[in-house]
C-alpha cells in the first residue's frame, strides 16, 4: 500500500469543501435557453437567481464538452471546448463569473477513463498500424484464437455486452468498459498523463473550483488484463451491509497504481491560488478502500455510495453513517452524503417501493410502481437526515423539488446506451434525466421557450414545478430552503454526530445545537425534549412525530 507522502493534516477551518452543499446540474435537463429541447449553459445562467437563493455552496456541472452525445456527454471528443449544443466557451466564462459573483463555486466533470471514438486521438489510432504511438494511447490488443477473432479477454461492458470491439476492417481489438464509442485510454502511457494534466490546467486557468472525476477507480487495469468471471458493474444494487466481499472487485477496478495519478493532480490543484478540489466517483468497497482516494495528498472528497444505496432502515443507516465518518476521519477527509445522481433512480421513487431503497438501476413500467406520496414523505425525512450530517452533502437537480423518477417512459424515447446494449434488460437512466419543471402550465413546463424537451415530461411533473413550490410553506423546495439556511446558521457541516437513545427504527442525534429525529417506522413516536425548528411534515402536537417523518429540534 502506498502511504501518503506527508501525514500532517491541514487545519480544517479554511477548506470550503469540507462542509459544502454541492448541487449537481445535469446541463441537458436543467434549463434550455435556445429552445432546441436540450438544456444549455445560457439556460443555467438564466436560472442563477434560483440557484443562489437555494443556499448551496457550489454547482457541479455534468459534461458540456464537445461530444457526439452517445453517453450524454460522458463521451468527450474535445476536452477543451463546449459542445455547440450547450453553448460556447464564452458562455461558460459568463456562467462562472455569474456564479462567483454570488459566492457559488463551480465544479466541472472530468472524464479521464475514456474518450469518444470521435476524439482526434482515437481517429489517429485507427489510421495508424498496430504498435504505433497513436494506438499506444488506448488499449489495443490482438485477439485470441488462431485468427485473432476472439476478444483479448472475457470482460463485459458496464453497459452490457462485451468490453472489446474492432473497428470495421481492423485486426486489433480495443477495450471499452462502457459503450463501443467510449474507448478506454491507457493510463500507463505518460503521454496520456501529460495530456490530462494540461486539460486540468485549461479549466483551472479559466477559474473552476474543482473537478468531479468520472470513473476514478477505473483508470488503471490489472497488468496482463486477466479474465474476470464476475459482472462488470458500477452501481451495485446491494447495500453495504449485504454486499459480500469481492463485489465490484474485478481487475478493471480500484488498482493500487491509480493513486499516483491523483497525487500528481493534487499537486497541480494545490499550485493554483484559491482552494480547488476534486471529488472521486469511485464505486469502491469497503469504506476503508474508498478512503484511500481521499488521503491528504490525493482527492478531497469521494462520493459516499454506501449511503446512496442504503435501505430505509434505521440500524443500517446508522451503521453506514458511523462507518463513513470513521473512514473519512482516519485520513482527515470530510464524509460526503449523496442520495441521487444522474446514474441512479431518484430517491423519492426508490423510497416509494414496498422494499424501500431497492432498484437503483432503473424502474420500468413492468416493475412495481412506487407509491409517490409515500416516497416523497420519506425523501423529505431523509433530506432532514442528510443535511444534518457533518461533512459535505450533494443535491441532484430536482431533488429539492421532491421530483420522482419517470418510471413509465416508453422505450422509444430511451437514449441510455445501457438500455440499448442490454436489449432493454437494464431499463437505464433516462428516468432520472427528464427536463426539470419550472412553470406549471407553460410549454415544456418552462424548461425552455417552446414545447421541445429531449425526453418527454410525465404529466405529473407539473405539480412539482418551481413556480408552484416557491413561497408555498409546505412545499419541498421551501423545506430545502429552510434546512439549508439552518444548516449554515448552526454550522452543521462542521459539527459532529452524538447519537442519543432512541426506539427501534428511530434515529436521534445531536449535532451542535440541533437535535435530529428521524422516524423510519410507520407508527407515531414521542419526540425527545427540544423545541421543533423544522419538520418534514406537519407535527400533530402533543410532542409526537408521525411515521416516515423527521424533525429538527433545538437541544434544550
Ligand atoms: C460515470 C458517469 C456515467 C457515465 C459513465 C461513463 O459513471 O456518471 O453517467 O455513463 O461514468 O463515463
Ligand atoms: Mg438548448
Amino acid at each position: 500500500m502506498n502511504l501518503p507522502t506527508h501525514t500532517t493534516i491541514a487545519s480544517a477551518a479554511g477548506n470550503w469543501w469540507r462542509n459544502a452543499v454541492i448541487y449537481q446540474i445535469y446541463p441537458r435537463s436543467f434549463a434550455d435557453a435556445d429552445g432546441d429541447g436540450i438544456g444549455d449553459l445560457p439556460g443555467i445562467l438564466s436560472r442563477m437567481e434560483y440557484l443562489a437563493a437555494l443556499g448551496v455552496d457550489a454547482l457541479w456541472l455534468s459534461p458540456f464538452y464537445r461530444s457526439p452525445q452517445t453517453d450524454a456527454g460522458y463521451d468527450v471528443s474535445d476536452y477543451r471546448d463546449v459542445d455547440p449544443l450547450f453553448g460556447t466557451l464564452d458562455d461558460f466564462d459568463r456562467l462562472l463569473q455569474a456564479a462567483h459573483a454570488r459566492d457559488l463555486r463551480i465544479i466541472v466533470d472530468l472524464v479521464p477513463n475514456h474518450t469518444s471514438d470521435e476524439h482526434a486521438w482515437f481517429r489517429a489510432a485507427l489510421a495508424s498500424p498496430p504498435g504505433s504511438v497513436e494506438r499506444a494511447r488506448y488499449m489495443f490488443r490482438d485477439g485470441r484464437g488462431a485468427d485473432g477473432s476472439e476478444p483479448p479477454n472475457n470482460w463485459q461492458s458496464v453497459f452490457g455486452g462485451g468490453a472489446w470491439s474492432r473497428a470495421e476492417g481492423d485486426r486489433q481489438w480495443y477495450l471499452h468498459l462502457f459503450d463501443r464509442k467510449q474507448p478506454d485510454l491507457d493510463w500507463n502511457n505518460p503521454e496520456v498523463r501529460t495530456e490530462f494534466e494540461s486539460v486540468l490546467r485549461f479549466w483551472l486557468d479559466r477559474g473552476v473550483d474543482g473537478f468531479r472525476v468520472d470513473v476514478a477507480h477505473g483508470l488503471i487495469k490489472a497488468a496482463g488484463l486477466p479474465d474476470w468471471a464476475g459482472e462488470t458493474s458500477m452501481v451495485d444494487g446491494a447495500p453495504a451491509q449485504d454486499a459480500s466481499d469481492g463485489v465490484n472487485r474485478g481487475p478493471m477496478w480500484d488498482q493500487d497504481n491509480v493513486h499516483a495519478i491523483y497525487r500528481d493532480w493534487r499537486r497541480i490543484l494545490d499550485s493554483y491560488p484559491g482552494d480547488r478540489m476534486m471529488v472521486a466517483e469511485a464505486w469502491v468497497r469497503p469504506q476503508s478502500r474508498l478512503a484511500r482516494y481521499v488521503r491528504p495528498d490525493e482527492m478531497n472528497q469521494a462520493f459516499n455510495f454506501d449511503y446512496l444505496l442504503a435501505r430505509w432502515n434505521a440500524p443500517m443507516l446508522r451503521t453506514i453513517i458511523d462507518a463513513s465518518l470513521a473512514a473519512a476521519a482516519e485520513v482527515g477527509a470530510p464524509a460526503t452524503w449523496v442520495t441521487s445522481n444522474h446514474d441512479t433512480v431518484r430517491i423519492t421513487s426508490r423510497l416509494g417501493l414496498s422494499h424501500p431503497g431497492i432498484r437503483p438501476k432503473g424502474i420500468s413500467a413492468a416493475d412495481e410502481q412506487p407509491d409517490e406520496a409515500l416516497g416523497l414523505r420519506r425523501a423529505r425525512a431523509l433530506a432532514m437526515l442528510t443535511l444534518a450530517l457533518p461533512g459535505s452533502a450533494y443535491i441532484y437537480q430536482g431533488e429539492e423539488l421532491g421530483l420522482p423518477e419517470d418510471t413509465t417512459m416508453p422505450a422509444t424515447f430511451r437514449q441510455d446506451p445501457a438500455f440499448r446494449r442490454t436489449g432493454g434488460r437494464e431499463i437505464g437512466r433516462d428516468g432520472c434525466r427528464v427536463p426539470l419543471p419550472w412553470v406549471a402550465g407553460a410549454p415544456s413546463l418552462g424548461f425552455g421557450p417552446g414545447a421541445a424537451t429531449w425526453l418527454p415530461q410525465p404529466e405529473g411533473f407539473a405539480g412539482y414545478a418551481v413556480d408552484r413550490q416557491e413561497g408555498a410553506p409546505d412545499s419541498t423546495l421551501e423545506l430545502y430552503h429552510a434546512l439549508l439556511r439552518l444548516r449554515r446558521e448552526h454550522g452543521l457541516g462542521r459539527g459532529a454526530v452524538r447519537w442519543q437513545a432512541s426506539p427501534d427504527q428511530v434515529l436521534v442525534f445531536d449535532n451542535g445545537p440541533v437535535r435530529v429525529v428521524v422516524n423510519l417506522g410507520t407508527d407515531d413516536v414521542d419526540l425527545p425534549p427540544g423545541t421543533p425548528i423544522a419538520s418534514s411534515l406537519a407535527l400533530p402536537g402533543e410532542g409526537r412525530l408521525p411515521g416516515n417523518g423527521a424533525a429538527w429540534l433545538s437541544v434544550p
Side-chain angles (χ1 to χ4, degrees):
M1 170 168 146
N2 297 312
L3 289 167
T5 50
H6 55 86
T7 47
T8 41
I9 289 156
S11 131
N15 301 135
W16 65 272
W17 40 266
R18 286 187 176 273
N19 48 57
V21 178
I22 301 175
Y23 183 86
Q24 181 189 356
I25 293 186
Y26 193 67
R28 292 179 82 80
S29 304
F30 186 71
D32 176 24
D34 65 2
D36 65 352
I38 299 176
D40 42 44
L41 300 183
I44 301 171
L45 184 60
S46 75
R47 297 293 181 184
M48 200 45 79
E49 288 314 321
Y50 173 84
L51 294 165
L54 201 52
V56 298
D57 302 288
L59 310 174
W60 148 33
L61 307 184
S62 278
F64 49 78
Y65 317 108
R66 273 195 191 266
S67 159
Q69 304 290 326
T70 296
D71 186 19
Y74 283 94
D75 49 321
V76 180
S77 56
D78 183 348
Y79 290 85
R80 296 181 184 82
D81 202 1
V82 173
D83 196 283
L85 264 185
F86 299 117
T88 63
L89 274 174
D90 283 345
D91 289 328
F92 178 79
D93 292 342
R94 267 192 288 276
L95 176 61
L96 185 94
Q97 248 184 6
H100 282 177
R102 290 164 178 81
D103 274 338
L104 283 170
R105 316 232 179 195
I106 296 277
I107 295 169
V108 297
D109 218 305
L110 186 75
V111 188
N113 179 69
H114 43 267
T115 69
S116 162
D117 67 339
E118 297 181 33
H119 189 283
W121 268 10
F122 195 73
R123 293 195 160 151
L126 288 185
S128 306
S132 57
V133 294
E134 287 83 0
R135 288 204 172 202
R137 295 160 178 157
Y138 292 92
M139 308 283 284
F140 279 91
R141 295 290 185 278
D142 290 332
R144 293 204 269 211
D147 56 355
S149 66
E150 299 291 318
N153 70 22
N154 68 355
W155 294 4
Q156 298 296 298
S157 154
V158 172
F159 291 157
W164 295 89
S165 290
R166 282 198 286 195
E168 178 92 18
D170 205 287
R171 161 168 80 77
Q172 284 197 307
W173 298 77
Y174 65 88
L175 176 69
H176 54 87
L177 290 184
F178 297 89
D179 191 71
R180 64 174 292 146
K181 283 180 68 63
Q182 294 167 294
D184 280 50
L185 289 161
D186 185 348
W187 274 89
N188 289 316
N189 183 338
E191 205 189 343
V192 171
R193 299 198 183 208
T194 308
E195 169 65 4
F196 273 85
E197 291 177 8
S198 153
V199 170
L200 284 177
R201 290 182 188 281
F202 178 87
W203 293 101
L204 289 167
D205 288 340
R206 289 200 108 79
V208 304
D209 300 285
F211 300 92
R212 177 265 188 190
V213 180
D214 191 62
V215 200
H217 59 316
L219 275 49
I220 298 284
K221 282 77 180 175
L225 310 180
D227 277 342
W228 161 251
E231 195 196 337
T232 309
S233 140
M234 298 256 288
V235 182
D236 173 355
Q241 287 183 342
D242 297 357
S244 53
D245 206 28
V247 177
N248 276 5
R249 285 285 192 81
M252 65 292 288
W253 302 134
D254 196 27
Q255 302 296 306
D256 286 347
N257 292 341
V258 82
H259 296 281
I261 299 169
Y262 305 132
R263 292 202 185 95
D264 288 346
W265 292 2
R266 179 63 177 264
R267 277 193 290 272
I268 293 174
L269 265 71
D270 285 351
S271 74
Y272 276 78
D275 190 5
R276 321 279 178 118
M277 62 85 90
M278 289 181 286
V279 52
E281 187 217 15
W283 294 86
V284 166
R285 275 184 180 146
Q287 291 268 355
S288 56
R289 284 297 290 191
L290 182 63
R292 291 157 51 93
Y293 289 77
V294 290
R295 287 176 289 189
D297 58 350
E298 297 193 34
M299 302 222 203
N300 309 72
Q301 295 185 352
F303 292 118
N304 186 349
F305 293 127
D306 281 351
Y307 188 71
L308 185 146
L309 295 170
R311 302 296 191 244
W312 189 244
N313 174 294
M316 181 185 290
L317 273 166
R318 179 172 168 163
T319 303
I320 289 172
I321 290 168
D322 284 340
S324 309
L325 290 169
E330 191 78 21
V331 289
T336 69
W337 313 104
V338 57
T339 55
S340 297
N341 61 32
H342 65 292
D343 293 326
T344 53
V345 168
R346 283 185 176 278
I347 187 67
T348 321
S349 298
R350 279 188 282 131
L351 292 179
L353 295 172
S354 50
H355 298 288
I358 64 167
R359 289 201 176 282
K361 287 169 124 179
I363 299 176
S364 81
D367 295 320
E368 176 201 350
Q369 293 300 293
D371 176 332
E372 204 170 318
L374 177 62
L376 178 59
R377 180 170 166 140
R378 285 178 172 151
R380 289 167 57 107
L382 183 61
M384 297 198 65
L385 175 63
T386 304
L387 294 174
L389 290 167
S392 183
Y394 282 81
I395 298 171
Y396 174 48
Q397 66 177 42
E399 224 175 295
E400 80 280 18
L401 305 174
L403 204 64
E405 183 88 357
D406 181 0
T407 55
T408 59
M409 186 184 295
T412 47
F413 293 107
R414 296 199 172 270
Q415 304 199 15
D416 186 346
F419 179 74
R420 175 171 39 82
R421 290 182 60 93
T422 60
R425 201 170 16 83
E426 200 166 289
I427 198 69
R429 303 163 291 178
D430 298 295
C432 67
R433 299 175 173 180
V434 174
L436 290 192
W438 292 92
V439 184
S444 72
L445 300 176
F447 169 66
T453 57
W454 71 280
L455 290 173
Q457 296 165 307
E459 200 118 317
F461 266 33
Y464 294 90
V466 171
D467 76 326
R468 288 274 184 91
Q469 298 203 36
E470 258 169 354
D474 297 336
S475 74
T476 303
L477 180 57
E478 291 306 336
L479 176 67
Y480 269 78
H481 280 155
L483 297 178
L484 289 167
R485 183 174 45 76
L486 289 166
R487 176 187 162 92
R488 192 184 293 263
E489 237 168 69
H490 297 297
L492 301 185
R494 293 189 303 274
V497 169
R498 287 195 316 279
W499 295 106
Q500 310 291 314
S502 62
D504 279 0
Q505 292 310 328
V506 180
L507 295 173
V508 182
F509 65 85
D510 291 352
N511 180 354
V514 176
R515 177 161 291 167
V516 179
V517 191
V518 187
N519 180 3
L520 291 95
T522 48
D523 298 336
D524 287 20
V525 294
D526 281 328
L527 278 171
T531 313
I533 54 172
S535 60
S536 68
L537 35 64
L539 296 175
E542 286 150 20
R544 303 284 287 171
L545 177 65
N548 298 310
W552 288 2
L553 318 174
S554 52
V555 177

